[in-house]
């Protein structure tokens, strides 16, 4: 695996790194970290990245730190943190040569697939590769790694937080990362309007299935980050699963979180999506937000929390 990866990178001149639409901290961190690694392995190559411009504003701080290089005719395309071909931003009919990912997925669309669902973040998986190649963790690499680690572990609080993630975080801090600064840039950048909109969205919260399922929804027009909302409602003490429906242009986005061992990736798969056991997302083609939410609640009532 390591040899094949090295061979592909060393023989490339123009490398394009892509990730999923609506990128999160792990997507941005993974592309950034990989670019830094490629620059060390193959300094003569041009390694550029492409991000979906429709990303959360707080990621701009990190994207601005990345020195992007225009790559017009890539001879190597690497996707990071993307489980499905249809979710990759900027691919436009090209082939993916290398897929690096940590989602549970049967889609092996790369010529070379480096996939490990045990890795808490895709940046951690890329860091492990870099370590095998004997590369030292520089400060920018550590920032990229930490960005993905903290994003995908809910600031080192989710079930995927383990000795590996904490040991990698320690390496990041040793390399000069300041956890508080990254937390501030990611989580303390809301506008006053977003605080008010959050209050409106929170009013939609409901408990179902004897309290084991907690739901909320975000109508179009409200500026609310669904991750903040779902991470808030999941705090309810009896909730085993949290579900948030978000009204998008042509569909309803479904986000799911599990605190109880229930595999929400399997539920997301029913709703045109996928992800991890504890965090997953899907798409519902319903004309209304209420209609989509009803479908979700009914699915949980019937299949996940049936009455004994
Ligand atoms: Mn990820």
């Amino acid at each position: 695996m390591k040899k094949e990866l090295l061979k592909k990178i060393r023989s490339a001149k123009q490398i394009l790194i892509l990730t999923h639409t609506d990128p999160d901290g792990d997507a941005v961190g993974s592309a950034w970290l990989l670019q830094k690694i490629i620059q060390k392995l193959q300094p003569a190559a041009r390694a550029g990245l492409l991000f979906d411009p429709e990303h959360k504003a707080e990621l701009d701080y990190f994207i601005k730190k990345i020195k992007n290089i225009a790559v017009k005719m890539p001879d190597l395309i690497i996707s990071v943190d993307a489980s499905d071909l249809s979710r990759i931003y900027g691919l436009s009919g090209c082939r993916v040569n290398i897929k690096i990912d940590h989602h549970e997925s049967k889609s092996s669309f790369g010529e070379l697939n480096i996939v490990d669902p045990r890795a808490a973040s895709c940046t951690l998986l890329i860091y492990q590769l870099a370590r095998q190649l004997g590369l030292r963790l520089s400060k920018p690499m550590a920032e990229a790694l930490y960005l993905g680690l903290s994003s995908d572990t809910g600031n080192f609080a989710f079930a995927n937080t383990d000795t590996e993630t904490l040991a990698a975080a320690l390496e990041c801090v040793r390399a000069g990362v300041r956890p508080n600064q990254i937390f501030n840039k990611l989580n303390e950048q809301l506008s006053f309007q977003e605080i008010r909109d959050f209050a409106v969205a929170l009013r939609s919260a409901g408990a179902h299935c004897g309290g084991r399922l907690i739901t909320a929804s975000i109508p179009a027009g409200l500026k609310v980050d669904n991750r903040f909302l779902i991470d808030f409602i999941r705090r309810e003490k009896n909730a085993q699963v949290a579900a948030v429906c978000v009204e998008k242009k042509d569909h309803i986005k479904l986000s799911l979180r599990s605190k109880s061992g229930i595999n929400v990736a399997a539920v997301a798969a029913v709703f045109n999506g996928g992800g991890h056991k504890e965090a997953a997302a899907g798409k519902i083609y319903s004309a209304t937000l209420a209609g989509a939410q009803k479908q979700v609640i009914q699915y949980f009532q019937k299949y996940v929390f049936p009455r004994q």
Side-chain angles (χ1 to χ4, degrees):
M1 187 80 82
K2 193 176 75 185
K3 266 190 193 158
E4 247 184 292
L5 175 72
L6 261 182
K7 210 173 120 194
K8 280 186 189 288
I9 289 175
R10 291 227 161 107
S11 59
K13 291 194 177 69
Q14 301 223 28
I15 302 170
L16 184 60
I17 305 164
L18 301 174
T19 188
H20 57 81
T21 52
D22 188 18
D24 54 14
D26 191 32
V28 171
S30 296
W32 183 14
L33 179 59
L34 185 62
Q35 185 201 39
K36 289 278 158 209
I37 291 168
I38 290 170
Q39 283 168 347
K40 285 192 179 188
L41 292 173
Q42 171 71 344
R46 294 169 67 84
L49 338 91
L50 204 57
F51 292 119
D52 182 354
E54 291 202 13
H55 55 256
K56 308 265 180 320
E58 66 268 21
L59 289 171
D60 270 339
Y61 169 81
F62 299 96
I63 291 172
K64 277 184 189 144
K65 287 187 160 216
I66 304 172
K67 274 204 191 87
N68 206 355
I69 299 156
V71 172
K72 288 204 178 90
M73 297 284 283
D75 46 24
L76 187 69
I77 296 181
I78 309 177
S79 74
V80 291
D81 199 39
S83 57
D84 293 291
L85 210 48
S86 62
R87 285 206 69 212
I88 298 177
Y89 178 78
L91 192 59
S92 58
C94 295
R95 282 195 72 156
V96 172
N97 304 104
I98 306 172
K99 172 194 185 186
I100 305 178
D101 186 36
H102 71 131
H103 293 87
E104 215 129 4
S105 165
K106 288 185 186 76
S107 174
S108 303
F109 52 77
E111 285 165 8
L112 175 64
N113 297 282
I114 302 174
V115 178
D116 185 358
R118 290 167 305 172
S121 71
C122 190
T123 59
L124 182 61
L125 178 55
I126 296 169
Y127 170 60
Q128 286 163 345
L129 289 168
R131 254 206 335 212
Q132 285 171 25
L133 296 169
L135 296 180
R136 202 186 60 85
L137 194 67
S138 65
K139 190 179 171 191
M141 281 168 71
E143 276 189 297
L145 169 57
Y146 193 92
L147 172 61
L149 273 176
S150 61
S151 298
D152 272 20
T153 60
N155 291 304
F156 306 97
F158 294 158
N160 58 3
T161 304
D162 56 13
T163 53
E164 296 269 349
T165 52
L166 293 171
L170 175 63
E171 289 304 314
C172 292
V173 178
R174 282 195 173 133
V177 165
R178 286 166 57 207
N180 167 261
Q181 194 193 18
I182 296 199
F183 182 83
N184 169 267
K185 293 297 178 195
L186 276 179
N187 300 297
E188 298 176 334
Q189 300 295 327
L190 296 180
S191 65
F192 186 62
Q193 187 60 47
E194 284 171 283
I195 301 283
R196 294 183 66 103
D197 282 359
F198 187 81
V200 176
L202 203 51
R203 279 181 176 271
S204 71
H208 314 272
C209 305
R212 288 173 290 185
L213 172 68
I214 188 150
T215 62
S217 54
I218 306 173
L222 280 194
K223 208 168 174 242
V224 175
D225 186 331
N226 67 298
R227 289 168 305 166
F228 289 139
L229 184 61
I230 203 162
D231 285 343
F232 190 80
I233 62 168
R234 61 175 277 156
R235 294 175 180 218
E236 202 280 325
K237 64 183 176 204
N238 297 312
Q240 295 184 18
V241 172
V244 166
C245 288
V246 190
E247 193 177 5
K248 298 277 185 187
K249 252 182 234 151
D250 59 350
H251 68 275
I252 308 291
K253 181 185 165 152
L254 169 67
S255 286
L256 295 163
R257 297 288 184 273
S258 167
K259 310 196 289 187
S260 57
I262 286 164
N263 179 2
V264 287
V267 178
V270 176
F271 292 100
N272 314 297
H276 306 286
K277 281 185 188 125
E278 287 96 19
K283 273 183 181 179
I284 302 171
Y285 297 96
S286 160
T288 64
L289 197 53
Q293 198 166 354
K294 202 170 156 194
Q295 282 183 39
V296 175
I297 295 165
Q298 281 174 347
Y299 182 86
F300 273 93
Q301 284 169 339
K302 201 164 172 190
Y303 299 106
V304 184
F305 300 123
R307 272 194 218 150
Q308 269 89 28

